[in-house]
């Protein structure tokens, strides 16, 4: 019997869906799929936590949605995704700050034309909160902006978030609703029979059979496609390097400041981070070969960032505020647009690839698109919502964000709130213990979940304390504890 007819005839039977890749895209999709009665969903992620791929190293901006041509999926899903984040705040307890964004130009005729084009494109894409600003109005929005900028586009619906927490909490909610989340195992092969994907082979030797496979593997989507005889557009990697500045720099920046975009992207920006620091960057450099592990920063790249940041906010690079440099890789394709489709040959295989910027912003809308347009629409699966689900993950208590009175109350009930482990970000032992109990097993997992180690000392003072807490709470020997990936042990051996 043809596979599709099989779907139509056996609607009551639970359908197994395997999502490959737990970045923001795969995790949000798994969360949504876990809400259906007739779906049994498993997510497999190669890293030891969700959101630790491209989702971990980017600008973390919720873009307004005026950059992309209205006919593209990127435009449609960005504008929609931006709006959907309001619901995610409530559902996943994730932080979103609508800081607004400002694209700045010197205001000559050519610049004005480009700004007006962006504005019109935004209107066509359904973006809310845009206005063209001139002269001193720019400095009311960003008081430390260079006086050379006289004309710009302000967008109040743009903002910032913490992308990996969106992924991690999506996984937690999905698990509460019956999904299986497999971490630290990777798909290394696939079995295809009669033009139908049958099972995925994992590094651990396990095989997972499924009725539908969804490829959300980010930079590795081409590799996954090959395992299942699916042809996809080549991935071209474009590196973006960044500098992270200490919280002291935040006084000079209110929202996201963009220069005028070029064909290489949205340019090198200045923006606040969700925990009160400042990002400078990213650069935009096409890698000559496919090396998804190349996350090195370069002297040239970092110098370029300092120069362009000083052009936007004069002097911002001059203080001793740099605490970290890092890089992320964009999964570019020649076609430029997101590739979200059911394969024509292998009809139970769905590709969600080429998810470059604005992929974070679009991610919730990408899930909606896969479910409505592909599963419900093209594949004609009548998805039935579960009658009862766990609806939300409560926002976590962060000592740093509470008032003194509230902190006193918390300590009264639980003294672990009073023991500060990460001094830079004021993360308490209770927050770290809770992160471990919610699944964190590595130093990086605790960092992503609590912000311990994200501050000025970058974990210099708290890593060892965090290691001891993980070991105490889980029974993992300190010698076995890793930073993030396989073999990234904290301890090498005994000194004496
Ligand atoms: C420099 C830069 C700046 C950006 N800025 C922004 C921005 O400000 N706003 C915005 O909206 N977007 C931005 N983006 C884009 C955004 O970061 C991405 O679109 C988004 O993170 C993609 O998420 P993903 O889930 O598709 O990929 P990923 O997060 O990479 O997830 C894919 C996952 O698949 C896993 N995986 C791979 N192979 C296997 C396998 N064989 N088996 C199991 N698992 C596997 C990986 O480990 C990974 O965790 C930026 C990107 C970059 C690089």
């Amino acid at each position: 019997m043809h596979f599709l007819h099989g779907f139509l005839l056996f609607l009551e039977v639970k359908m197994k869906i395997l999502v490959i890749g737990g970045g923001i895209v795969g995790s949000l999709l798994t969360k949504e799929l876990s809400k259906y009665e007739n779906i049994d969903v498993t997510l497999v992620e190669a890293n030891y936590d969700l959101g630790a791929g491209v989702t971990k190293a980017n600008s973390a901006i919720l873009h307004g949605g005026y950059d992309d041509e209205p006919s593209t999926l990127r435009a449609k899903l960005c504008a929609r995704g931006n709006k959907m984040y309001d619901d995610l705040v409530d559902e996943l307890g994730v932080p979103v700050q609508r800081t607004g964004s400002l694209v700045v130009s010197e205001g000559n005729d050519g610049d004005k034309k480009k700004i007006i084009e962006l504005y019109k494109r935004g209107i066509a894409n359904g973006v809310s909160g845009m206005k063209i600003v001139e002269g001193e109005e720019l400095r009311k929005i960003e008081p430390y902006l260079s006086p050379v900028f006289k004309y710009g586009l302000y967008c109040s619906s743009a903002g910032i978030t913490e992308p990996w927490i969106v992924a991690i909490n999506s996984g937690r909610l999905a698990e509460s609703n019956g999904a299986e989340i497999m971490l630290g195992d990777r798909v290394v092969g696939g079995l295809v029979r009669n033009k139908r994907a049958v099972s995925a082979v994992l590094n651990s030797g396990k095989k997972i059979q499924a009725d539908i496979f969804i490829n959300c593997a980010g930079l590795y989507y081409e590799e996954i496609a090959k395992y299942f005889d699916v042809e996809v557009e080549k991935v071209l990697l474009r590196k973006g390097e960044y500098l992270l500045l200490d919280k002291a720099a935040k006084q000079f920046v209110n929202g996201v400041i963009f220069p005028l975009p070029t064909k290489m992207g949205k340019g090198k920006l200045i923006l606040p981070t969700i925990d009160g620091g400042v990002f400078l960057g990213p650069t935009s450099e096409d890698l000559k070969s496919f090396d998804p592990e190349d996350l090195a920063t370069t002297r040239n790249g970092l110098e370029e960032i300092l120069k362009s940041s000083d052009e936007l906010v004069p002097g911002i690079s001059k203080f001793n505020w740099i605490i970290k440099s890092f890089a992320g890789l964009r999964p570019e394709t020649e076609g430029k647009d997101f590739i979200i489709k059911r394969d024509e040959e292998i009809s139970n295989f769905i590709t969600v690839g080429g998810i470059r910027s604005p992929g974070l912003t679009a991610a919730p809308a990408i899930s909606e698109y896969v479910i409505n347009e592909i599963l419900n629409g093209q594949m004609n699966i009548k998805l039935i919502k579960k009658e009862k689900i766990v609806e939300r993950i409560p926002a976590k208590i962060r000592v740093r964000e509470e008032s003194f009175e509230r902190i006193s109350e918390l300590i009264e009930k639980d003294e672990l709130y009073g023991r500060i482990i990460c001094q830079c970000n004021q993360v308490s032992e209770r927050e770290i213990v809770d992160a471990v109990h919610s699944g964190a097993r590595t130093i990086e997992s605790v960092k992503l979940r609590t912000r311990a180690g994200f501050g000025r000392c970058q974990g210099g003072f708290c890593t060892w304390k965090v290691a001891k807490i993980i070991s105490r709470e889980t029974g993992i020997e300190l010698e076995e504890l890793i930073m993030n990936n396989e073999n990234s042990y904290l301890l090498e051996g005994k000194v004496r």
Side-chain angles (χ1 to χ4, degrees), residues 26-35 40-44 48-50 91-92 166-183 386 388-393 435-441 449:
S27 306
L28 277 166
L29 179 57
T30 304
K31 166 186 73 86
E32 283 307 308
L33 291 173
S34 71
K35 294 178 181 171
D40 179 8
V41 58
T42 294
L43 169 66
V44 58
Y48 288 89
D49 212 342
L50 301 173
E91 187 185 30
L92 298 177
V166 177
I168 290 169
N169 283 2
S170 293
R172 289 175 60 202
L173 191 56
E175 258 183 329
S176 306
N177 287 318
E180 184 183 8
I181 310 290
M182 301 175 71
L183 299 175
K386 285 179 181 161
K388 245 182 129 183
I389 55 164
V390 178
E391 286 179 357
R392 57 180 61 85
I393 298 269
V436 175
H437 290 175
S438 77
R441 291 292 176 272
R449 287 163 194 243

Side-chain angles (χ1 to χ4, degrees), residues 21 23-25 45-47 54-55 61 187 242 355-356 358-361:
I24 197 166
V25 172
E45 165 55 48
N47 284 311
V54 180
T55 299
I61 300 168
V187 173
Y242 289 89
I355 311 296
R356 55 208 278 269
L360 300 174
T361 318

Side-chain angles (χ1 to χ4, degrees), residues 107-235:
N108 60 41
D109 288 348
D111 291 352
K112 282 187 175 170
K113 211 171 138 212
K114 284 183 193 155
I115 294 281
I116 291 165
E117 256 169 44
L118 287 179
Y119 178 79
K120 284 189 180 157
R121 213 183 284 159
I123 297 292
N125 290 345
V127 177
S128 56
M130 287 184 306
K131 67 172 178 179
I132 289 181
V133 283
E134 290 187 63
E136 281 313 300
E137 240 182 317
L138 275 87
R139 263 155 300 281
K140 282 204 185 112
I141 300 169
E142 292 294 348
Y144 294 93
L145 185 70
S146 163
V148 302
F149 298 112
K150 299 195 170 67
Y151 197 80
L153 175 65
Y154 178 68
C155 177
S156 64
S157 57
I160 53 173
T161 185
E162 199 166 21
W164 47 87
I165 286 291
V166 177
I168 290 169
N169 283 2
S170 293
R172 289 175 60 202
L173 191 56
E175 258 183 329
S176 306
N177 287 318
E180 184 183 8
I181 310 290
M182 301 175 71
L183 299 175
D185 208 348
R186 63 181 308 124
V187 173
V188 291
L191 181 68
V192 176
R193 210 178 286 132
N194 300 329
K195 300 263 172 208
R196 198 186 149 196
V198 178
S199 58
V201 183
L202 305 191
N203 198 30
S204 57
K206 288 184 194 138
K207 267 193 195 150
I208 304 182
Q209 290 195 335
D211 301 297
I212 298 174
F213 293 76
I214 309 184
N215 178 0
C216 300
L219 301 175
Y220 298 85
Y221 99 112
E222 208 183 331
E223 180 183 307
I224 299 295
K226 276 193 193 130
Y227 296 148
F228 292 92
D229 298 344
V230 169
E231 279 189 32
V232 289
E233 263 189 77
K234 199 173 169 44
V235 196

Side-chain angles (χ1 to χ4, degrees), residues 279-296:
F279 274 155
L280 309 180
T283 56
S284 190
E285 180 214 347
D286 289 325
L287 295 193
K288 297 203 172 43
S289 58
F290 181 76
D291 182 358
E293 306 297 319
D294 177 1
L295 294 174

